[in-house]
Amino acid sequence: MKVCNGGVFVKQTSKQKLKLKLLPKLFLSFCKVGLFTFGGGLSMLPMLEREMVARRKWCTKAEILDYYAVGQCTPGIIAVDVSSFIGYRVCGVAGAVAGPFAVMLPGFLLMLLMATVLRGVAEIQLVQSAFVGIRVAVCALITASVVHIVRESVGRWWQIVLLVSSFALVAILGINPAWVVVGAGVLGLFGSFRSAPKDGAQP
Amino acid sequence: MSVYLFLLLEFFGTGLFAVGGGLATIPFLQSIGRRRGWYTAKKLADMIAAAQCVPGPLGTNLAAYTGLTVAGLFGAVLSVVSLMAPTVLVDLLVARLMERFKHTTRAERVMRVLRPVSAGLICAAALTLLQISLGSGAALDWHAPLRWFDWRCVALYAALLPFVFWKKTRKLHPLCYIAFGAAAGMLLGV
């Protein structure tokens, strides 16, 4: 995690009240970002740049990248992290809540619409065939993302051990992933995993 | 009533423990489906496919669809809000403590462990998805595992793989792949 110096998170002062006026604009901007990104997470970046940096000039690209870095260290999905950090930067606490809500709202509504439509046509044979193909296409897309994620997260041999053991714990032993994450968190807190290769105990 | 309470708890937990992008929520959703019996793994695969067709973060889209399936419109709202709540709360805290957080290497050390673990969870979820999407739908028969695969799906998957990795085509809009998959599925009549 690399964080640039120089006030990534600007302290909120009394100016915050003035900034609240920006809340409707913030909401609309994030709705736009949510509407025009597919796949979420990292694919949001170009749209965020265009909207938040170029158009609104609310933050810089370097700051957004910092938010991504920090967001990767906090629980929850990255799109929510980044939008709440930008929201906080622009409108304080209200913005931190409004950002994630706005970014998911278009997808949420379209998802409801799609679910309703699908429920009506689910029995049609052609639709079922189409979905068999769509599932395969989605699998191919996910395979590419998974390879990317694995490459990003593994650098040392003990990290490979961790990856394989967490895979085995869930895929073979059927353990609830939450326990694996909690175990790994404890291991990270108290284990001494310096950047030098050391023992990779199981989580 | 209790369904709503369980939805809230399950998605709050997912928001708290899923580390990474929307894909990281899939192992948790699979686990929820298995434990609560709200939906089958196959139904989840369909929901993932549908969530990929809609713009916006995959994680919240999936939570919305899952909530809707389990408990209707209110369930959808509840699931998405519960998924986002822990994240937003922690982010608020982090944004305030940023100055201190920045100087500790502890968070970084924890992440060095959490990232590969989360990747392992995602791999496990992806394997389940592969089994569902490439299989014939029946339970896997270990005595004749090869017969269990639907070869048309395997062929389509193998044909698509080079494109999602090839430099020139991997940036293609995901909807292109989805549209192609739909067309191929209808043509092959699987």
Side-chain angles (χ1 to χ4, degrees):
Chain A
M1 176 188 64
K2 277 184 191 139
V3 176
C4 286
N5 291 317
V8 176
F9 292 96
V10 179
K11 269 189 186 156
Q12 300 296 314
T13 55
S14 55
K15 281 181 196 164
Q16 201 179 308
K17 274 183 187 164
L18 279 172
K19 283 182 167 183
L20 273 182
K21 270 198 227 162
L22 289 174
L23 202 60
K25 272 187 187 170
L26 181 89
F27 200 87
L28 281 179
S29 279
F30 270 115
C31 276
K32 207 164 143 192
V33 171
L35 187 61
F36 289 107
T37 40
F38 278 82
L42 264 183
S43 47
M44 234 168 64
L45 184 60
M47 198 60 206
L48 278 177
E49 257 185 87
R50 202 186 308 168
E51 189 65 25
M52 304 296 162
V53 182
R55 183 149 175 260
R56 303 282 195 194
K57 298 186 175 59
W58 279 333
C59 47
T60 64
K61 191 191 174 189
E63 281 170 335
I64 294 186
L65 289 177
D66 283 346
Y67 296 148
Y68 268 99
V70 180
Q72 243 140 22
C73 303
T74 59
I77 59 175
I78 208 94
V80 174
D81 287 315
V82 174
S83 49
S84 90
F85 283 141
I86 296 176
Y88 186 80
R89 167 76 201 267
V90 179
C91 294
V93 176
V97 177
F101 265 94
V103 95
M104 69 84 185
L105 191 64
F108 180 82
L109 295 177
L110 286 170
M111 193 79 249
L112 294 187
L113 186 72
M114 179 143 194
T116 319
V117 172
L118 281 182
R119 200 174 287 168
V121 298
E123 296 305 313
I124 302 170
Q125 184 58 44
L126 205 60
V127 174
Q128 287 180 357
S129 301
F131 251 83
V132 172
I134 291 175
R135 277 204 300 260
V136 176
V138 166
C139 261
L141 288 171
I142 286 180
T143 308
S145 313
V146 169
V147 169
H148 181 75
I149 290 169
V150 168
R151 269 199 202 148
E152 288 278 297
S153 57
V154 169
R156 306 214 165 252
W157 69 267
W158 55 263
Q159 288 178 315
I160 300 174
V161 174
L162 283 173
L163 191 149
V164 172
S165 33
S166 91
F167 172 84
L169 283 174
V170 173
I172 299 170
L173 299 178
I175 286 171
N176 188 335
W179 296 122
V180 181
V181 171
V182 169
V186 171
L187 195 73
L189 269 181
F190 299 107
S192 52
F193 290 96
R194 313 220 169 256
S195 31
K198 281 203 168 180
D199 296 333
Q202 296 214 349
Chain B
M1 190 62 222
S2 64
V3 167
Y4 295 126
L5 185 67
F6 285 138
L7 261 185
L8 189 145
L9 289 176
E10 292 288 7
F11 277 96
F12 195 88
T14 304
L16 196 57
F17 294 122
V19 182
L23 283 183
T25 62
I26 296 178
F28 293 89
L29 294 180
Q30 286 176 345
S31 162
I32 291 170
R34 245 194 337 263
R35 282 181 290 113
R36 302 263 176 221
W38 282 334
Y39 43 82
T40 61
K42 186 151 189 285
K43 171 80 183 164
L44 182 64
D46 282 339
M47 293 198 277
I48 293 168
Q52 293 258 11
C53 301
V54 169
L58 181 65
T60 52
N61 286 349
L62 258 179
Y65 201 171
T66 326
L68 186 77
T69 310
V70 176
L73 186 60
F74 183 63
V77 177
L78 188 70
S79 304
V80 175
V81 172
S82 319
L83 179 79
M84 297 198 308
T87 312
V88 172
L89 289 177
V90 172
D91 285 348
L92 275 174
L93 208 70
V94 168
R96 301 207 150 182
L97 297 178
M98 195 52 212
E99 291 307 308
R100 239 184 292 170
F101 189 74
K102 187 160 72 179
H103 296 297
T104 62
T105 52
R106 176 160 283 185
E108 211 186 317
R109 270 205 319 225
V110 173
M111 281 321 291
R112 278 208 289 265
V113 174
L114 270 188
R115 248 181 250 128
V117 165
S118 180
L121 298 182
I122 294 171
C123 286
L127 181 72
T128 312
L129 269 183
L130 265 182
Q131 284 176 345
I132 295 162
S133 307
L134 304 185
S136 51
L140 183 54
D141 177 10
W142 285 107
H143 297 292
L146 286 183
R147 210 185 305 157
W148 174 80
F149 282 104
D150 187 320
W151 290 106
R152 287 167 295 187
C153 291
V154 176
L156 180 59
Y157 179 71
L160 280 173
L161 266 193
F163 290 98
V164 293
F165 285 106
W166 192 33
K167 228 179 202 169
K168 283 185 180 167
T169 47
R170 73 177 172 206
K171 295 261 163 151
L172 266 180
H173 203 284
L175 275 187
C176 297
Y177 288 101
I178 287 167
F180 182 81
M186 287 194 262
L187 278 178
L188 292 170
V190 274

